[in-house]
Amino acid sequence: METTTSKVPQLAREQIARAADYVELVWRYRDSEQDKAALAEFHADGQELVVLVGEFGALLLADYISVVPDEHADCEFGYVLGQLVAVAGRYLKRWCLAGGGAQAAWIAAGFLIECMQEVDQVSQFLADVRGNVGSGYGLTTV
């Protein structure tokens, strides 16, 4: 797997940082009082959080995670795998936009964590995403 370049404007820097913080909290969650408080703060946003996680998930799947090896980028195999990633991103986003609040955000974050673990360590992957955002990669002009 490899990372790819962004093709469309994405989320604002603050939104990406917030979504990455949430996914990392879900990944590291240990049922401590501190984790419970941090999670409750995120979950207070309910529907706004799940929409953000859906958008962030679509960004990760479309612009950061690619299942297409370089040697197959221009062939039918590469096309099909690329389409599978696109479909997964669309369905994640649609599912999150449909509602479900904090529970849906938690499940979506779990799905993204599984995808990232296939690529790299979750914390390193999120650090790379944050680093790209800090350099202006994948940002909307607001």
Side-chain angles (χ1 to χ4, degrees):
M1 291 189 169
E2 64 185 80
T3 57
T4 61
T5 59
S6 179
K7 297 177 181 94
V8 295
Q10 300 297 330
L11 298 169
R13 176 177 297 151
E14 299 79 26
Q15 291 175 302
I16 291 173
R18 181 165 169 72
D21 290 348
Y22 177 72
V23 171
E24 190 154 20
L25 175 63
V26 170
W27 178 63
R28 293 180 182 265
Y29 185 77
R30 299 290 182 251
D31 207 27
S32 70
E33 291 304 315
Q34 183 179 6
D35 286 351
K36 287 179 185 178
L39 201 57
E41 187 177 325
F42 273 106
H43 286 174
D45 290 341
Q47 188 58 31
E48 182 181 317
L49 175 65
V50 74
V51 169
L52 177 61
V53 172
E55 294 283 344
F56 181 66
L59 169 74
L60 287 182
L61 292 170
D63 289 356
Y64 286 90
I65 300 173
S66 171
V67 295
V68 182
D70 287 340
E71 63 271 14
H72 294 289
D74 294 329
C75 68
E76 187 174 346
F77 172 78
Y79 174 78
V80 170
L81 289 176
Q83 292 303 307
L84 288 172
V85 169
V87 167
R90 279 196 311 270
Y91 272 88
L92 174 68
K93 189 173 173 180
R94 285 180 192 156
W95 184 71
C96 287
L97 292 174
Q103 182 179 10
W106 178 272
I107 293 168
F111 172 75
L112 294 172
I113 289 165
E114 289 296 322
C115 292
M116 286 183 276
Q117 286 176 331
E118 292 300 319
V119 177
D120 203 347
Q121 281 287 346
V122 173
S123 59
Q124 182 59 52
F125 191 85
L126 290 171
D128 291 346
V129 171
R130 287 181 184 111
N132 282 340
V133 168
S135 68
Y137 172 84
L139 297 178
T140 58
T141 52
V142 183

